[in-house]
Amino acid sequence: AHLRQNSVVGDGCRVGNFVELKNSVLGDGSKASHLAYIGDAVVGKNCNVGCGAVFVNFDGVSKHRTVVGDNVFIGSNLIAPLTLADGTYVACSTTVTKDTMPDDFVIGRSDASVKHGRASRLVAALKEQKKKIDK
């Protein structure tokens, strides 16, 4: 495990092999047993962060925060900014991009949509958006 700066691990937590926490809080009784990245997040009590879960906190221009309620099961990736309400269950192989309400079940598995030749336009738009926010 790698606990980077500004990381706090609550009582009764499990942080296992190849887990990295950066600028994050892991609430009491929560588990990240193996192969996970938790960056710029607050994770509530009694949560489970599944194998291979990544808290995506950087869009290429700005860092964003994730907030996870209590008793949440995280089976896969979270893309910040994002808030998962208490009792949310995220199925494995699901990437979450929208906030949830209490007791939501989130599942989504489909083929990727590839937009050829569009990456540079996306990065330019993100940079322009950041300039407007920073003013």
Side-chain angles (χ1 to χ4, degrees):
H2 186 109
L3 304 179
R4 292 173 56 188
Q5 65 188 33
N6 300 322
S7 292
V8 177
V9 178
D11 292 334
C13 290
R14 181 182 315 145
V15 177
N17 295 330
F18 307 104
V19 173
E20 182 176 355
L21 271 77
K22 192 228 31 135
N23 192 30
S24 295
V25 175
L26 196 60
D28 294 347
S30 289
K31 301 176 290 202
S33 295
H34 49 276
L35 299 166
Y37 173 73
I38 303 169
D40 296 305
V42 175
V43 178
K45 297 177 183 175
N46 303 311
C47 294
N48 184 80
V49 178
C51 177
V54 175
F55 288 50
V56 181
N57 57 338
F58 186 56
D59 62 13
V61 176
S62 301
K63 297 278 183 159
H64 301 281
R65 197 134 183 89
T66 297
V67 177
V68 176
D70 296 335
N71 305 303
V72 173
F73 179 90
I74 300 166
S76 201
N77 301 327
L78 309 177
I79 299 180
L82 186 67
T83 299
L84 300 183
D86 292 348
T88 296
Y89 188 105
V90 178
C92 296
S93 297
T94 298
T95 298
V96 184
T97 60
K98 296 179 182 173
D99 294 350
T100 66
M101 297 183 65
D103 199 38
D104 278 357
F105 173 60
V106 185
I107 185 168
R109 299 174 182 143
S110 62
D111 292 333
S113 176
V114 178
K115 308 291 185 189
H116 297 288
R118 300 264 304 266
S120 58
R121 286 175 40 196
L122 170 66
V123 171
L126 290 170
K127 287 180 180 178
E128 188 62 33
Q129 181 181 19
K130 183 174 179 3
K131 282 183 191 176
K132 289 178 184 176
I133 292 170
D134 289 344
K135 286 184 180 181

